[in-house]
Amino acid sequence: MKDLLEKIFENLTEAQSLELMKTILQTTIPTGMSVLQSFANASIKIILMLNGGAAIAILAFLGAIVTTEFTKWISGIVLSLISYSLGAACSAGVAFLSYLSQSEYNIMDDSNEVKGNYYRGWAIRIALLGIAFFILGCTIVGVTIRFY
């Protein structure tokens, strides 16, 4: 692809080259950036909704069992709430790392692309960690309710 572009630019005047480059940048950069932004937005929302919704459900469950002998369940419920809280906090980490990644990609330099890929990789890892916290919290609740 690079060789093809070089051959095309060889036969153009400077003004034509600038106009072609402008057109290429206007069509490719917004598409790539919107994909990154949609990934970041979707992952942040999903992680926050999973963990936040689960925490709310556990608190509602706790409110329903307050009149019973709930002390045997309280440690499991607290641990699951901690897990859901950490999972929800991961969405903030994903938002921050996505911002850093986007900032590096906007500079459009080779070294900045490497940094952008680094931040994006960590954003993906943190997103997966948020989902893992959700699964851990669900497992803790399930085990607590099942075996007590």
Side-chain angles (χ1 to χ4, degrees), residues 40-52 84-99 123 126-131 133:
N41 290 335
S43 62
I44 291 165
K45 288 176 186 175
I46 289 169
I47 294 167
L48 192 58
M49 286 189 316
L50 280 174
N51 288 294
Y84 294 140
S85 298
L86 291 172
C90 285
S91 65
V94 171
F96 178 68
L97 289 168
S98 297
Y99 169 77
I126 298 296
L128 292 173
L129 183 63
I131 294 169
F133 277 126

Side-chain angles (χ1 to χ4, degrees), residues 10-74:
E10 285 176 2
N11 297 326
L12 299 176
T13 65
E14 185 177 333
Q16 290 172 329
S17 296
L18 289 174
E19 194 61 36
L20 179 60
M21 184 60 76
K22 180 179 165 185
T23 304
I24 290 171
L25 290 174
Q26 286 175 344
T27 57
T28 57
I29 289 178
T31 304
M33 295 306 163
S34 66
V35 169
L36 289 173
Q37 289 171 347
S38 67
F39 161 75
N41 290 335
S43 62
I44 291 165
K45 288 176 186 175
I46 289 169
I47 294 167
L48 192 58
M49 286 189 316
L50 280 174
N51 288 294
I56 290 169
I58 292 300
L59 289 172
F61 173 72
L62 184 60
I65 65 167
V66 144
T67 57
T68 66
E69 189 180 323
F70 69 94
T71 55
K72 60 184 177 184
W73 293 343
I74 198 70

